[in-house]
Amino acid sequence: MSPNQGSPVPSEHETVGAYALGILDDAEATAFEAHLAGCEWCAQQLDELAGMEPMLAALADLPGSGSTPAIGDSLSAQPSPRLVEKLVDEVAEKRAHKRRRSFYMIAAAAALIIAGPLAAVAVNSGSGGGGSQVAASSAQTTFASMADKKSATDPSSHVSATVGMEQKDWGTQAVLELKNATGPLKCSLVLVAKNGQRVTMSSWSVPNWGYGIPDGKTPESRKPLYIGGAAAFKPNEIDHFEVVTFQGKKLVQVQA
């Protein structure tokens, strides 16, 4: 007698729920797919279960609701309350794992949201550079508003840097003003914490004409670079900042 004629649902048919939720491991999923190829009943149930995950997820966020068995009421072959409760528990655990994993990304995401508009090359060569100039203006405006600024000039490279800092709930927002830097170069602003950790806050390219060159031949070359960055360290946890090339050469160091 087939499942649609009232016989008890074999265990392999119950697997359709877990498969629809994507909570089977690779071996289990492969075995079920082999079964699915010859089972019209499971194919039908898979279609009906396609929208089940959001409902289970909602229940997983409402512990103790007591409504778990009602999940299967609209299905043509209703799964047992035990199965539905098991699926709810599995979804709850899956979502909890995702929340724990996401927690560690919150500071970085916040940093990107805040610093994203600032982390762009400040001045373009002049061809189609409107977007970069807008970002430069935003970074420069933020830099001007920062009260905590530290500066340094390297006696060897002659590169000058000023780092503006502002404490946030998630760490430190920073804006770099870079002068007397000639290219072509690829550089990074690196935060060095008091505990020795190093964090790259932003990176950029220095064109041939450079940034902040006092006797530069073009208006672009005479303008400093303003570029934003962010890190999870608080200002009092920072030892210094370094502007370094991608080859590891330090151009200038600024004490925090």
Side-chain angles (χ1 to χ4, degrees):
M1 187 177 294
S2 69
N4 286 330
Q5 293 176 321
S7 63
V9 178
S11 59
E12 61 266 25
H13 296 300
E14 288 190 346
T15 308
V16 68
Y19 181 82
L21 294 171
I23 57 177
L24 297 178
D25 61 30
D26 290 343
E28 292 170 333
T30 299
F32 177 74
E33 287 167 356
H35 165 78
L36 182 65
C39 182
E40 294 183 3
W41 184 86
C42 280
Q44 177 187 345
Q45 291 306 302
L46 189 59
D47 288 339
E48 294 191 25
L49 286 167
M52 190 173 177
E53 197 276 343
M55 291 186 291
L56 289 173
L59 276 180
D61 286 338
L62 295 171
S65 65
S67 60
T68 298
I71 289 286
D73 286 349
S74 63
L75 303 180
S76 60
Q78 297 177 8
S80 66
R82 178 191 61 77
L83 171 61
V84 176
E85 289 170 1
K86 179 176 181 290
L87 292 175
V88 170
D89 290 343
E90 288 173 332
V91 172
E93 173 57 28
K94 185 178 180 182
R95 287 164 65 85
H97 174 72
K98 288 181 179 178
R99 285 193 291 267
R100 289 193 296 269
R101 180 181 177 187
S102 298
F103 174 81
Y104 295 104
M105 300 300 294
I106 290 174
L112 288 174
I113 291 168
I114 298 298
L118 307 179
V121 175
V123 182
N124 195 281
S125 62
S127 59
S132 294
Q133 291 169 353
V134 170
S137 176
S138 177
Q140 186 174 359
T141 300
T142 302
F143 177 82
S145 69
M146 289 176 160
D148 186 6
K149 297 176 184 174
K150 303 293 173 60
S151 301
T153 300
D154 188 272
S156 177
S157 69
H158 306 295
V159 173
S160 296
T162 299
V163 179
M165 292 174 285
E166 186 172 316
Q167 181 168 320
K168 302 292 184 180
D169 290 340
W170 43 261
T172 298
Q173 179 181 359
V175 179
L176 168 70
E177 179 191 65
L178 189 69
K179 298 179 179 179
N180 212 30
T182 57
L185 290 172
K186 293 184 185 298
C187 305
S188 298
L189 176 63
V190 178
L191 176 155
V192 181
K194 291 178 180 178
N195 65 5
Q197 284 186 269
R198 299 173 65 89
V199 177
T200 298
M201 302 184 77
S202 57
S203 61
W204 63 92
S205 295
V206 179
N208 292 332
W209 57 85
Y211 290 117
I213 308 299
D215 57 350
K217 296 180 179 180
T218 65
E220 288 82 2
S221 66
R222 292 191 288 271
K223 294 178 182 179
L225 167 71
Y226 292 94
I227 188 164
F233 290 97
K234 301 291 187 181
N236 62 3
E237 298 175 320
I238 302 170
D239 183 75
H240 67 272
F241 300 91
E242 297 177 3
V243 176
V244 298
T245 69
F246 279 20
Q247 289 71 39
K249 180 183 178 181
K250 185 192 300 183
L251 299 179
V252 63
Q253 176 174 315
V254 181
Q255 292 301 124

